[in-house]
Amino acid sequence: MNAQEFYEKLNIVFSFKEVSDHSLYTPLPDDWYIALADVRGSTDAIRLGKYKEVNMAGASIIAALNNLYKKEDLLPYLFGGDGSLIALPDRQIEQVKGVLSFCRKAVKDAYGLEMAIGIIQVKELRELGHDVSVARLAMSEFLDQTIFWGTGVTYAEQLIKEEDRLKDVEPIEADFTGLECRWSQVPSDKDEVAAYIIQSFNKNDEASAEIYEQCFEKIEEIYGTEDNFHPLREDDLQMTTNPLLLGVEWKLRTQPPTLSKKLRHIGLMIFQLITGLYLMKFKKKTSATNWGDYKPDLVRHADYKKFGDGLRFVASGTIKQRMEMTDFLEGLFSEGSVVYGVHASFAAMVTCFVRSYQSNHIHFVDGTDGGYAKASQELKSRRAQLEAHIS
């Protein structure tokens, strides 16, 4: 079964609250692989103002591996702010390793960031006592995103940081086509934008599902519906003309750098920026794209809520709402039920993967000064506390 056939048979979840129903998830085939990337020292990089670079680095393998599997264009993947994972069929794996190696080198050369990379077969994860299952969360009638259930996600993330299985792999040049970074920050329409990661500390699926259901009830009680806390709003979306911000895309997309490649891509960006501003403002139609649809679709296709061995979401809200949510989560943590992390920023930022400007584009949302990366650090600290208590 190829990737597209597998993906199209997955259950589609139409409400974010349904992601806690583990019975809707389908186990990944034994012979599939999970490829991962994680920026090392992301917290320090963010402290130096490199939050856009961290997000672009984290998303790099999503673009590179989707472009490698061009005919199998429905690959399950998960963006995590300072890293990503993507599930792959047992095909072209040696080439995948080379592309991952190139992504690591490109991120180092473009941004001066170190990135852990790795790949592990699902069968090996299961032999080690971990599993990964997937489903689809609908974003619109055109697009959905993959959601992941199982401790294999967290275990694989830890494994690549501790064990470099690809250190001697020769890089194979990756194609980053579609990976874009051209939107200005979107300030909260309330007080802040908070990034949450909530993970059950219970190993039992049924018990974990009950815990996540409690979390969803509290999220709705405090923040309201998903539309109420959506961090993006169509009227506030503005393309950036800041050369420093545009340079984040330019530096990665032109790896390995040549003068012709640099000139060609900067010319393309300027052309697309000027035409994009005009076409979206006046809602023009071209042969391939209705540009009046682009911003509304961007909001609908914003990857601001997801599930990857835990709830991950970015919420626009008030400080009071965050404090109430944190109090609730702290109670569950005190009981040993969950570990969590939360980090507040003043605005949201968007990193895009565009396959087509008409409907087939997804937008990874994070907080401007660390979001998921800093929330993850908090979560890991709390997990260490509970593990120490158990031992």
Side-chain angles (χ1 to χ4, degrees):
M1 182 187 300
N2 66 30
Q4 185 159 336
E5 290 172 343
F6 175 75
Y7 196 90
E8 288 176 344
K9 290 180 179 179
L10 296 178
N11 290 317
I12 301 177
V13 176
F14 291 96
S15 167
F16 188 40
K17 290 190 289 187
E18 291 181 76
V19 302
S20 61
D21 184 353
H22 64 92
S23 67
L24 296 174
Y25 293 75
T26 300
L28 285 173
D30 261 358
D31 62 351
W32 275 41
Y33 289 79
I34 294 179
L36 305 97
D38 188 270
V39 177
R40 295 185 184 274
S42 57
T43 305
D44 290 336
I46 290 162
R47 193 177 296 120
L48 295 172
K50 291 188 174 183
Y51 42 82
K52 291 287 282 186
E53 288 88 340
V54 167
N55 270 203
M56 280 289 282
S60 63
I61 70 165
I62 292 176
L65 294 179
N66 271 285
N67 287 332
L68 175 63
Y69 285 78
K70 287 180 179 176
K71 293 181 179 178
E72 310 236 76
D73 67 346
L74 294 174
L75 299 173
Y77 60 80
L78 177 72
F79 172 74
D82 59 353
S84 297
L85 67 83
I86 183 165
L88 306 164
D90 183 16
R91 189 172 63 82
Q92 296 179 264
I93 296 303
E94 292 307 310
Q95 195 170 354
V96 166
K97 292 176 181 178
V99 168
L100 288 171
S101 182
F102 179 87
C103 289
R104 172 162 58 187
K105 185 178 187 304
V107 164
K108 174 68 172 176
D109 292 346
Y111 306 139
L113 298 174
E114 299 289 344
M115 189 164 75
I117 56 169
I119 186 167
I120 183 170
Q121 193 167 37
V122 174
K123 181 181 179 181
E124 182 181 351
L125 280 174
R126 291 190 173 123
E127 289 171 349
L128 292 167
H130 301 277
D131 206 353
V132 182
S133 298
V134 291
R136 298 159 62 185
L137 175 63
M139 305 177 87
S140 72
E141 64 271 33
F142 305 113
L143 198 68
D144 49 61
Q145 64 188 113
T146 320
I147 47 179
F148 291 75
W149 183 282
T151 58
V153 171
T154 300
Y155 179 81
E157 289 172 349
Q158 293 170 340
L159 181 68
I160 66 160
K161 297 174 188 176
E162 299 167 0
E163 184 181 329
D164 188 356
R165 299 184 174 190
L166 304 180
K167 65 179 179 179
D168 297 321
V169 172
E170 193 68 24
I172 296 173
E173 185 171 345
D175 178 4
F176 294 125
T177 298
L179 187 59
E180 299 182 358
C181 184
R182 302 177 185 176
W183 294 94
S184 297
Q185 299 171 356
V186 182
S188 172
D189 58 344
K190 302 178 181 74
D191 294 337
E192 62 183 21
V193 171
Y196 289 89
I197 308 177
I198 306 167
Q199 190 175 70
S200 169
F201 198 68
N202 198 306
K203 305 304 180 187
N204 178 275
D205 284 343
E206 294 293 342
S208 293
E210 289 179 12
I211 289 168
Y212 291 130
E213 287 169 10
Q214 290 178 44
C215 292
F216 277 120
E217 288 175 7
K218 186 57 67 171
I219 291 167
E220 189 165 343
E221 177 187 322
I222 294 172
Y223 279 103
T225 65
E226 295 161 29
D227 289 340
N228 293 139
F229 64 81
H230 198 309
L232 304 183
R233 299 164 305 284
E234 184 182 342
D235 291 344
D236 293 330
L237 290 170
Q238 301 293 332
M239 295 188 77
T240 185
T241 56
N242 185 328
L244 293 177
L245 296 179
L246 292 171
V248 175
E249 174 190 329
W250 177 72
K251 287 177 182 178
L252 186 65
R253 290 282 299 272
T254 55
Q255 294 294 321
T258 63
L259 180 60
S260 63
K261 193 183 290 187
K262 287 181 174 182
L263 291 174
R264 187 166 61 249
H265 193 72
I266 200 167
L268 176 67
M269 290 178 71
I270 292 170
F271 172 76
Q272 290 181 332
L273 178 63
I274 293 170
T275 56
L277 287 168
Y278 169 77
L279 294 169
M280 282 187 279
K281 180 177 180 180
F282 295 102
K283 297 179 169 51
K284 294 291 186 178
K285 292 183 179 180
T286 61
S287 59
T289 307
N290 181 350
W291 287 95
D293 292 340
Y294 192 80
K295 283 188 178 182
D297 281 349
L298 191 160
V299 174
R300 292 198 297 167
H301 297 171
D303 177 39
Y304 72 101
K305 57 187 192 301
K306 63 195 87 180
F307 193 91
D309 192 20
L311 297 176
R312 310 178 189 210
F313 65 99
V314 177
S316 178
T318 64
I319 295 171
K320 182 175 181 291
Q321 286 173 318
R322 172 169 52 86
M323 297 304 293
E324 288 177 2
M325 191 68 202
T326 302
D327 286 345
F328 167 74
L329 293 173
E330 190 62 26
L332 293 180
F333 170 67
S334 299
E335 297 170 2
S337 299
V338 304
V339 289
Y340 75 95
V342 56
H343 183 75
S345 308
F346 75 92
M349 63 179 180
V350 182
T351 304
C352 312
F353 180 44
V354 179
R355 287 181 165 164
S356 164
Y357 289 105
Q358 185 63 53
S359 304
N360 195 356
H361 46 91
I362 189 167
H363 306 272
F364 307 120
V365 180
D366 202 355
T368 48
D369 68 341
Y372 282 130
K374 289 188 176 179
S376 178
Q377 290 297 316
E378 280 193 13
L379 181 145
K380 290 170 187 173
S381 175
R382 290 188 172 94
R383 183 192 293 134
Q385 291 178 52
L386 289 188
E387 288 173 347
H389 181 71
I390 291 171
S391 60

